[in-house]
mmCIF file of all heavy atoms in Angstrom:
data_model
loop_
_atom_site.group_PDB
_atom_site.id
_atom_site.type_symbol
_atom_site.label_atom_id
_atom_site.label_comp_id
_atom_site.label_asym_id
_atom_site.label_seq_id
_atom_site.Cartn_x
_atom_site.Cartn_y
_atom_site.Cartn_z
ATOM 1 N N GLU R 1 123.990 77.875 163.339
ATOM 2 C CA GLU R 1 122.895 78.814 163.111
ATOM 3 C C GLU R 1 121.724 78.124 162.412
ATOM 4 O O GLU R 1 120.561 78.337 162.757
ATOM 5 C CB GLU R 1 123.387 79.988 162.274
ATOM 6 C CG GLU R 1 122.309 81.025 161.983
ATOM 7 C CD GLU R 1 122.804 82.149 161.082
ATOM 8 O OE1 GLU R 1 124.031 82.371 161.040
ATOM 9 O OE2 GLU R 1 121.956 82.776 160.436
ATOM 10 N N ASP R 2 122.038 77.263 161.429
ATOM 11 C CA ASP R 2 120.988 76.554 160.699
ATOM 12 C C ASP R 2 120.284 75.545 161.589
ATOM 13 O O ASP R 2 119.057 75.385 161.520
ATOM 14 C CB ASP R 2 121.584 75.850 159.485
ATOM 15 C CG ASP R 2 122.283 76.816 158.549
ATOM 16 O OD1 ASP R 2 121.587 77.450 157.753
ATOM 17 O OD2 ASP R 2 123.517 76.960 158.644
ATOM 18 N N ARG R 3 121.060 74.858 162.426
ATOM 19 C CA ARG R 3 120.448 73.910 163.356
ATOM 20 C C ARG R 3 119.552 74.615 164.372
ATOM 21 O O ARG R 3 118.480 74.124 164.708
ATOM 22 C CB ARG R 3 121.541 73.124 164.084
ATOM 23 C CG ARG R 3 122.191 72.047 163.237
ATOM 24 C CD ARG R 3 123.356 71.419 163.961
ATOM 25 N NE ARG R 3 123.793 70.193 163.308
ATOM 26 C CZ ARG R 3 124.896 69.529 163.634
ATOM 27 N NH1 ARG R 3 125.683 70.001 164.591
ATOM 28 N NH2 ARG R 3 125.218 68.416 163.014
ATOM 29 N N ARG R 4 119.998 75.762 164.863
ATOM 30 C CA ARG R 4 119.197 76.508 165.828
ATOM 31 C C ARG R 4 117.906 77.007 165.181
ATOM 32 O O ARG R 4 116.839 76.956 165.788
ATOM 33 C CB ARG R 4 120.005 77.688 166.392
ATOM 34 C CG ARG R 4 119.204 78.606 167.329
ATOM 35 C CD ARG R 4 118.726 77.850 168.573
ATOM 36 N NE ARG R 4 117.845 78.643 169.397
ATOM 37 C CZ ARG R 4 118.245 79.468 170.369
ATOM 38 N NH1 ARG R 4 119.552 79.603 170.628
ATOM 39 N NH2 ARG R 4 117.371 80.135 171.085
ATOM 40 N N TYR R 5 118.010 77.483 163.949
ATOM 41 C CA TYR R 5 116.809 77.958 163.265
ATOM 42 C C TYR R 5 115.817 76.818 163.072
ATOM 43 O O TYR R 5 114.609 76.974 163.300
ATOM 44 C CB TYR R 5 117.174 78.574 161.920
ATOM 45 C CG TYR R 5 115.980 79.141 161.188
ATOM 46 C CD1 TYR R 5 115.458 80.378 161.550
ATOM 47 C CD2 TYR R 5 115.358 78.430 160.169
ATOM 48 C CE1 TYR R 5 114.345 80.901 160.903
ATOM 49 C CE2 TYR R 5 114.247 78.946 159.517
ATOM 50 C CZ TYR R 5 113.749 80.173 159.890
ATOM 51 O OH TYR R 5 112.632 80.679 159.257
ATOM 52 N N TYR R 6 116.310 75.658 162.658
ATOM 53 C CA TYR R 6 115.457 74.475 162.491
ATOM 54 C C TYR R 6 114.790 74.119 163.821
ATOM 55 O O TYR R 6 113.590 73.837 163.874
ATOM 56 C CB TYR R 6 116.310 73.314 161.981
ATOM 57 C CG TYR R 6 115.576 72.010 161.794
ATOM 58 C CD1 TYR R 6 114.991 71.685 160.572
ATOM 59 C CD2 TYR R 6 115.499 71.089 162.827
ATOM 60 C CE1 TYR R 6 114.335 70.478 160.401
ATOM 61 C CE2 TYR R 6 114.842 69.878 162.662
ATOM 62 C CZ TYR R 6 114.262 69.578 161.451
ATOM 63 O OH TYR R 6 113.607 68.372 161.285
ATOM 64 N N PHE R 7 115.562 74.139 164.900
ATOM 65 C CA PHE R 7 115.006 73.844 166.222
ATOM 66 C C PHE R 7 113.911 74.844 166.579
ATOM 67 O O PHE R 7 112.825 74.459 167.028
ATOM 68 C CB PHE R 7 116.105 73.880 167.285
ATOM 69 C CG PHE R 7 115.592 73.697 168.686
ATOM 70 C CD1 PHE R 7 115.513 72.429 169.252
ATOM 71 C CD2 PHE R 7 115.173 74.782 169.445
ATOM 72 C CE1 PHE R 7 115.023 72.256 170.538
ATOM 73 C CE2 PHE R 7 114.683 74.616 170.729
ATOM 74 C CZ PHE R 7 114.594 73.351 171.272
ATOM 75 N N ASP R 8 114.196 76.132 166.384
ATOM 76 C CA ASP R 8 113.222 77.160 166.755
ATOM 77 C C ASP R 8 111.923 77.007 165.974
ATOM 78 O O ASP R 8 110.840 77.256 166.511
ATOM 79 C CB ASP R 8 113.806 78.557 166.505
ATOM 80 C CG ASP R 8 114.869 78.938 167.529
ATOM 81 O OD1 ASP R 8 114.929 78.281 168.594
ATOM 82 O OD2 ASP R 8 115.625 79.889 167.277
ATOM 83 N N CYS R 9 112.023 76.605 164.709
ATOM 84 C CA CYS R 9 110.816 76.465 163.884
ATOM 85 C C CYS R 9 110.069 75.165 164.150
ATOM 86 O O CYS R 9 108.840 75.164 164.271
ATOM 87 C CB CYS R 9 111.184 76.524 162.403
ATOM 88 S SG CYS R 9 111.766 78.126 161.844
ATOM 89 N N VAL R 10 110.791 74.055 164.236
ATOM 90 C CA VAL R 10 110.164 72.734 164.249
ATOM 91 C C VAL R 10 110.006 72.173 165.659
ATOM 92 O O VAL R 10 109.008 71.513 165.969
ATOM 93 C CB VAL R 10 110.985 71.745 163.384
ATOM 94 C CG1 VAL R 10 110.340 70.367 163.364
ATOM 95 C CG2 VAL R 10 111.127 72.287 161.967
ATOM 96 N N MET R 11 110.975 72.435 166.537
ATOM 97 C CA MET R 11 111.002 71.785 167.837
ATOM 98 C C MET R 11 110.497 72.656 168.991
ATOM 99 O O MET R 11 109.846 72.161 169.912
ATOM 100 C CB MET R 11 112.433 71.319 168.154
ATOM 101 C CG MET R 11 113.020 70.376 167.125
ATOM 102 S SD MET R 11 112.105 68.826 167.054
ATOM 103 C CE MET R 11 112.668 68.146 165.498
ATOM 104 N N ALA R 12 110.814 73.940 168.962
ATOM 105 C CA ALA R 12 110.505 74.808 170.105
ATOM 106 C C ALA R 12 109.032 74.813 170.504
ATOM 107 O O ALA R 12 108.717 74.828 171.699
ATOM 108 C CB ALA R 12 110.985 76.236 169.827
ATOM 109 N N PRO R 13 108.075 74.779 169.555
ATOM 110 C CA PRO R 13 106.672 74.756 169.977
ATOM 111 C C PRO R 13 106.259 73.466 170.685
ATOM 112 O O PRO R 13 105.166 73.395 171.240
ATOM 113 C CB PRO R 13 105.905 74.911 168.650
ATOM 114 C CG PRO R 13 106.868 75.520 167.708
ATOM 115 C CD PRO R 13 108.197 74.957 168.101
ATOM 116 N N HIS R 14 107.135 72.454 170.639
ATOM 117 C CA HIS R 14 106.832 71.173 171.279
ATOM 118 C C HIS R 14 107.915 70.811 172.290
ATOM 119 O O HIS R 14 108.297 69.655 172.418
ATOM 120 C CB HIS R 14 106.732 70.068 170.220
ATOM 121 C CG HIS R 14 106.105 70.494 168.935
ATOM 122 N ND1 HIS R 14 104.808 70.955 168.861
ATOM 123 C CD2 HIS R 14 106.593 70.571 167.670
ATOM 124 C CE1 HIS R 14 104.523 71.273 167.607
ATOM 125 N NE2 HIS R 14 105.595 71.056 166.873
ATOM 126 N N SER R 15 108.435 71.792 172.994
ATOM 127 C CA SER R 15 109.626 71.581 173.817
ATOM 128 C C SER R 15 109.409 70.513 174.885
ATOM 129 O O SER R 15 110.333 69.756 175.211
ATOM 130 C CB SER R 15 110.068 72.898 174.458
ATOM 131 O OG SER R 15 109.027 73.462 175.224
ATOM 132 N N ARG R 16 108.206 70.435 175.444
ATOM 133 C CA ARG R 16 107.956 69.418 176.473
ATOM 134 C C ARG R 16 108.113 68.018 175.887
ATOM 135 O O ARG R 16 108.748 67.139 176.495
ATOM 136 C CB ARG R 16 106.546 69.614 177.040
ATOM 137 C CG ARG R 16 106.145 68.594 178.104
ATOM 138 C CD ARG R 16 104.852 69.025 178.800
ATOM 139 N NE ARG R 16 103.763 69.199 177.853
ATOM 140 C CZ ARG R 16 102.970 68.205 177.438
ATOM 141 N NH1 ARG R 16 103.179 66.967 177.853
ATOM 142 N NH2 ARG R 16 101.972 68.442 176.608
ATOM 143 N N GLN R 17 107.545 67.794 174.708
ATOM 144 C CA GLN R 17 107.653 66.472 174.083
ATOM 145 C C GLN R 17 109.074 66.197 173.595
ATOM 146 O O GLN R 17 109.538 65.054 173.648
ATOM 147 C CB GLN R 17 106.675 66.375 172.907
ATOM 148 C CG GLN R 17 105.208 66.380 173.305
ATOM 149 C CD GLN R 17 104.616 67.778 173.397
ATOM 150 O OE1 GLN R 17 105.336 68.774 173.336
ATOM 151 N NE2 GLN R 17 103.291 67.859 173.542
ATOM 152 N N ILE R 18 109.772 67.233 173.148
ATOM 153 C CA ILE R 18 111.145 67.036 172.678
ATOM 154 C C ILE R 18 112.056 66.655 173.846
ATOM 155 O O ILE R 18 112.924 65.783 173.725
ATOM 156 C CB ILE R 18 111.668 68.303 171.977
ATOM 157 C CG1 ILE R 18 110.779 68.657 170.778
ATOM 158 C CG2 ILE R 18 113.113 68.107 171.541
ATOM 159 C CD1 ILE R 18 110.584 67.543 169.781
ATOM 160 N N GLU R 19 111.844 67.284 175.004
ATOM 161 C CA GLU R 19 112.644 66.924 176.176
ATOM 162 C C GLU R 19 112.371 65.477 176.588
ATOM 163 O O GLU R 19 113.302 64.743 176.964
ATOM 164 C CB GLU R 19 112.342 67.872 177.335
ATOM 165 C CG GLU R 19 113.250 67.663 178.529
ATOM 166 C CD GLU R 19 113.142 68.779 179.548
ATOM 167 O OE1 GLU R 19 112.132 69.524 179.527
ATOM 168 O OE2 GLU R 19 114.064 68.902 180.373
ATOM 169 N N THR R 20 111.125 65.043 176.496
ATOM 170 C CA THR R 20 110.794 63.648 176.787
ATOM 171 C C THR R 20 111.514 62.712 175.824
ATOM 172 O O THR R 20 112.046 61.674 176.230
ATOM 173 C CB THR R 20 109.271 63.421 176.686
ATOM 174 O OG1 THR R 20 108.604 64.246 177.640
ATOM 175 C CG2 THR R 20 108.913 61.967 176.942
ATOM 176 N N ALA R 21 111.567 63.083 174.546
ATOM 177 C CA ALA R 21 112.263 62.269 173.557
ATOM 178 C C ALA R 21 113.758 62.184 173.865
ATOM 179 O O ALA R 21 114.366 61.107 173.771
ATOM 180 C CB ALA R 21 112.045 62.847 172.160
ATOM 181 N N LEU R 22 114.355 63.306 174.246
ATOM 182 C CA LEU R 22 115.782 63.308 174.602
ATOM 183 C C LEU R 22 116.049 62.395 175.794
ATOM 184 O O LEU R 22 117.056 61.670 175.823
ATOM 185 C CB LEU R 22 116.239 64.729 174.920
ATOM 186 C CG LEU R 22 116.225 65.744 173.776
ATOM 187 C CD1 LEU R 22 116.669 67.109 174.290
ATOM 188 C CD2 LEU R 22 117.113 65.300 172.623
ATOM 189 N N ASP R 23 115.164 62.420 176.764
ATOM 190 C CA ASP R 23 115.333 61.567 177.941
ATOM 191 C C ASP R 23 115.228 60.087 177.570
ATOM 192 O O ASP R 23 115.918 59.240 178.163
ATOM 193 C CB ASP R 23 114.289 61.921 179.003
ATOM 194 C CG ASP R 23 114.525 63.289 179.624
ATOM 195 O OD1 ASP R 23 115.643 63.824 179.484
ATOM 196 O OD2 ASP R 23 113.578 63.839 180.223
ATOM 197 N N LYS R 24 114.385 59.769 176.596
ATOM 198 C CA LYS R 24 114.217 58.377 176.179
ATOM 199 C C LYS R 24 115.488 57.799 175.550
ATOM 200 O O LYS R 24 115.753 56.602 175.674
ATOM 201 C CB LYS R 24 113.055 58.261 175.175
ATOM 202 C CG LYS R 24 111.669 58.361 175.786
ATOM 203 C CD LYS R 24 110.610 58.174 174.699
ATOM 204 C CE LYS R 24 109.200 58.230 175.268
ATOM 205 N NZ LYS R 24 108.180 58.021 174.196
ATOM 206 N N ILE R 25 116.252 58.627 174.862
ATOM 207 C CA ILE R 25 117.438 58.134 174.160
ATOM 208 C C ILE R 25 118.725 58.382 174.952
ATOM 209 O O ILE R 25 119.803 57.994 174.509
ATOM 210 C CB ILE R 25 117.573 58.785 172.767
ATOM 211 C CG1 ILE R 25 117.829 60.290 172.880
ATOM 212 C CG2 ILE R 25 116.329 58.508 171.929
ATOM 213 C CD1 ILE R 25 118.142 60.974 171.563
ATOM 214 N N ALA R 26 118.607 58.996 176.128
ATOM 215 C CA ALA R 26 119.791 59.461 176.866
ATOM 216 C C ALA R 26 120.752 58.331 177.232
ATOM 217 O O ALA R 26 121.973 58.544 177.261
ATOM 218 C CB ALA R 26 119.357 60.207 178.126
ATOM 219 N N ASP R 27 120.248 57.134 177.510
ATOM 220 C CA ASP R 27 121.114 56.050 177.981
ATOM 221 C C ASP R 27 121.614 55.144 176.866
ATOM 222 O O ASP R 27 122.317 54.160 177.138
ATOM 223 C CB ASP R 27 120.361 55.211 179.022
ATOM 224 C CG ASP R 27 120.062 56.003 180.292
ATOM 225 O OD1 ASP R 27 120.839 56.918 180.611
ATOM 226 O OD2 ASP R 27 119.038 55.716 180.939
ATOM 227 N N LEU R 28 121.275 55.433 175.630
ATOM 228 C CA LEU R 28 121.713 54.593 174.519
ATOM 229 C C LEU R 28 123.132 54.970 174.093
ATOM 230 O O LEU R 28 123.424 56.152 173.906
ATOM 231 C CB LEU R 28 120.776 54.756 173.321
ATOM 232 C CG LEU R 28 119.320 54.315 173.507
ATOM 233 C CD1 LEU R 28 118.495 54.701 172.282
ATOM 234 C CD2 LEU R 28 119.238 52.807 173.744
ATOM 235 N N PRO R 29 124.043 53.990 173.941
ATOM 236 C CA PRO R 29 125.357 54.311 173.362
ATOM 237 C C PRO R 29 125.159 54.847 171.945
ATOM 238 O O PRO R 29 124.447 54.240 171.150
ATOM 239 C CB PRO R 29 126.070 52.949 173.347
ATOM 240 C CG PRO R 29 125.299 52.091 174.291
ATOM 241 C CD PRO R 29 123.892 52.567 174.253
ATOM 242 N N MET R 30 125.773 55.981 171.650
ATOM 243 C CA MET R 30 125.440 56.660 170.404
ATOM 244 C C MET R 30 126.691 57.087 169.655
ATOM 245 O O MET R 30 127.560 57.750 170.210
ATOM 246 C CB MET R 30 124.589 57.893 170.718
ATOM 247 C CG MET R 30 123.687 58.312 169.586
ATOM 248 S SD MET R 30 122.247 57.242 169.408
ATOM 249 C CE MET R 30 121.328 57.656 170.889
ATOM 250 N N ARG R 31 126.759 56.711 168.367
ATOM 251 C CA ARG R 31 127.835 57.169 167.498
ATOM 252 C C ARG R 31 127.362 58.191 166.476
ATOM 253 O O ARG R 31 128.123 59.062 166.057
ATOM 254 C CB ARG R 31 128.452 55.983 166.751
ATOM 255 C CG ARG R 31 129.259 55.038 167.625
ATOM 256 C CD ARG R 31 129.858 53.928 166.792
ATOM 257 N NE ARG R 31 130.704 54.463 165.715
ATOM 258 C CZ ARG R 31 130.788 53.932 164.497
ATOM 259 N NH1 ARG R 31 130.050 52.881 164.188
ATOM 260 N NH2 ARG R 31 131.579 54.453 163.605
ATOM 261 N N MET R 32 126.093 58.083 166.075
ATOM 262 C CA MET R 32 125.573 58.988 165.047
ATOM 263 C C MET R 32 124.079 59.208 165.258
ATOM 264 O O MET R 32 123.369 58.320 165.732
ATOM 265 C CB MET R 32 125.747 58.408 163.634
ATOM 266 C CG MET R 32 127.140 58.160 163.168
ATOM 267 S SD MET R 32 127.086 57.514 161.463
ATOM 268 C CE MET R 32 128.643 56.612 161.437
ATOM 269 N N TYR R 33 123.642 60.400 164.845
ATOM 270 C CA TYR R 33 122.233 60.659 164.613
ATOM 271 C C TYR R 33 122.041 60.667 163.102
ATOM 272 O O TYR R 33 122.522 61.576 162.408
ATOM 273 C CB TYR R 33 121.791 61.999 165.179
ATOM 274 C CG TYR R 33 121.836 62.120 166.690
ATOM 275 C CD1 TYR R 33 122.232 63.321 167.287
ATOM 276 C CD2 TYR R 33 121.469 61.057 167.515
ATOM 277 C CE1 TYR R 33 122.250 63.455 168.671
ATOM 278 C CE2 TYR R 33 121.497 61.181 168.896
ATOM 279 C CZ TYR R 33 121.895 62.375 169.466
ATOM 280 O OH TYR R 33 121.921 62.503 170.834
ATOM 281 N N ALA R 34 121.374 59.658 162.578
ATOM 282 C CA ALA R 34 121.072 59.605 161.149
ATOM 283 C C ALA R 34 119.778 60.388 160.930
ATOM 284 O O ALA R 34 118.678 59.871 161.061
ATOM 285 C CB ALA R 34 120.924 58.157 160.686
ATOM 286 N N THR R 35 119.938 61.662 160.632
ATOM 287 C CA THR R 35 118.818 62.595 160.576
ATOM 288 C C THR R 35 118.016 62.453 159.282
ATOM 289 O O THR R 35 118.496 61.925 158.285
ATOM 290 C CB THR R 35 119.327 64.038 160.677
ATOM 291 O OG1 THR R 35 120.261 64.263 159.600
ATOM 292 C CG2 THR R 35 120.023 64.275 161.999
ATOM 293 N N GLY R 36 116.793 62.983 159.316
ATOM 294 C CA GLY R 36 115.964 62.995 158.120
ATOM 295 C C GLY R 36 116.334 64.095 157.153
ATOM 296 O O GLY R 36 116.040 63.999 155.957
ATOM 297 N N HIS R 37 116.991 65.158 157.663
ATOM 298 C CA HIS R 37 117.365 66.300 156.820
ATOM 299 C C HIS R 37 118.759 66.787 157.202
ATOM 300 O O HIS R 37 119.114 66.833 158.379
ATOM 301 C CB HIS R 37 116.378 67.450 156.988
ATOM 302 C CG HIS R 37 114.965 67.102 156.654
ATOM 303 N ND1 HIS R 37 114.535 66.880 155.374
ATOM 304 C CD2 HIS R 37 113.871 66.930 157.453
ATOM 305 C CE1 HIS R 37 113.244 66.588 155.378
ATOM 306 N NE2 HIS R 37 112.816 66.612 156.626
ATOM 307 N N GLY R 38 119.535 67.173 156.197
ATOM 308 C CA GLY R 38 120.837 67.772 156.453
ATOM 309 C C GLY R 38 121.918 66.756 156.762
ATOM 310 O O GLY R 38 121.747 65.547 156.587
ATOM 311 N N PRO R 39 123.078 67.226 157.244
ATOM 312 C CA PRO R 39 124.205 66.330 157.513
ATOM 313 C C PRO R 39 123.909 65.338 158.636
ATOM 314 O O PRO R 39 123.206 65.658 159.599
ATOM 315 C CB PRO R 39 125.328 67.293 157.927
ATOM 316 C CG PRO R 39 124.908 68.639 157.441
ATOM 317 C CD PRO R 39 123.417 68.640 157.477
ATOM 318 N N ILE R 40 124.464 64.137 158.515
ATOM 319 C CA ILE R 40 124.404 63.156 159.605
ATOM 320 C C ILE R 40 125.248 63.682 160.767
ATOM 321 O O ILE R 40 126.357 64.186 160.570
ATOM 322 C CB ILE R 40 124.940 61.789 159.131
ATOM 323 C CG1 ILE R 40 124.015 61.215 158.045
ATOM 324 C CG2 ILE R 40 125.073 60.816 160.295
ATOM 325 C CD1 ILE R 40 124.561 59.953 157.394
ATOM 326 N N VAL R 41 124.725 63.579 161.971
ATOM 327 C CA VAL R 41 125.408 64.132 163.150
ATOM 328 C C VAL R 41 126.376 63.084 163.688
ATOM 329 O O VAL R 41 125.957 62.040 164.206
ATOM 330 C CB VAL R 41 124.380 64.542 164.232
ATOM 331 C CG1 VAL R 41 125.107 65.150 165.438
ATOM 332 C CG2 VAL R 41 123.365 65.523 163.666
ATOM 333 N N ARG R 42 127.649 63.380 163.587
ATOM 334 C CA ARG R 42 128.692 62.459 164.046
ATOM 335 C C ARG R 42 129.730 63.169 164.895
ATOM 336 O O ARG R 42 130.033 62.750 166.004
ATOM 337 C CB ARG R 42 129.354 61.799 162.838
ATOM 338 C CG ARG R 42 130.492 60.847 163.184
ATOM 339 C CD ARG R 42 131.085 60.245 161.912
ATOM 340 N NE ARG R 42 132.214 59.378 162.161
ATOM 341 C CZ ARG R 42 132.934 58.799 161.202
ATOM 342 N NH1 ARG R 42 132.621 59.000 159.920
ATOM 343 N NH2 ARG R 42 133.963 58.031 161.505
ATOM 344 N N TYR R 43 130.267 64.267 164.385
ATOM 345 C CA TYR R 43 131.373 64.934 165.060
ATOM 346 C C TYR R 43 130.899 65.857 166.182
ATOM 347 O O TYR R 43 131.608 66.027 167.173
ATOM 348 C CB TYR R 43 132.205 65.719 164.039
ATOM 349 C CG TYR R 43 132.836 64.824 163.004
ATOM 350 C CD1 TYR R 43 132.247 64.653 161.755
ATOM 351 C CD2 TYR R 43 133.991 64.110 163.285
ATOM 352 C CE1 TYR R 43 132.809 63.817 160.797
ATOM 353 C CE2 TYR R 43 134.564 63.273 162.341
ATOM 354 C CZ TYR R 43 133.961 63.117 161.102
ATOM 355 O OH TYR R 43 134.525 62.270 160.168
ATOM 356 N N GLY R 44 129.743 66.432 166.042
ATOM 357 C CA GLY R 44 129.226 67.332 167.073
ATOM 358 C C GLY R 44 128.035 66.760 167.794
ATOM 359 O O GLY R 44 127.143 67.504 168.233
#
């Protein structure tokens, strides 16, 4: 719920650019997202 709220506030108004960013990182082997705020994304 907290992640969705953050997305709706910060990311949703820029959805076109956010989708471009996701596509840029799509092929990288990934173990973690070391985020600027909140828990580091590892398990989900």
Side-chain angles (χ1 to χ4, degrees):
E1 180 183 337
D2 302 278
R3 284 174 167 171
R4 175 63 187 272
Y5 183 79
Y6 178 91
F7 175 91
D8 287 343
C9 292
V10 181
M11 302 296 164
H14 323 299
S15 57
R16 179 169 58 86
Q17 292 89 350
I18 301 306
E19 187 168 19
T20 299
L22 295 178
D23 291 343
K24 285 182 178 181
I25 65 173
D27 294 331
L28 296 173
M30 206 75 69
R31 290 182 57 217
M32 298 181 205
Y33 294 142
T35 58
H37 301 289
I40 295 173
V41 181
R42 178 180 177 184
Y43 297 98

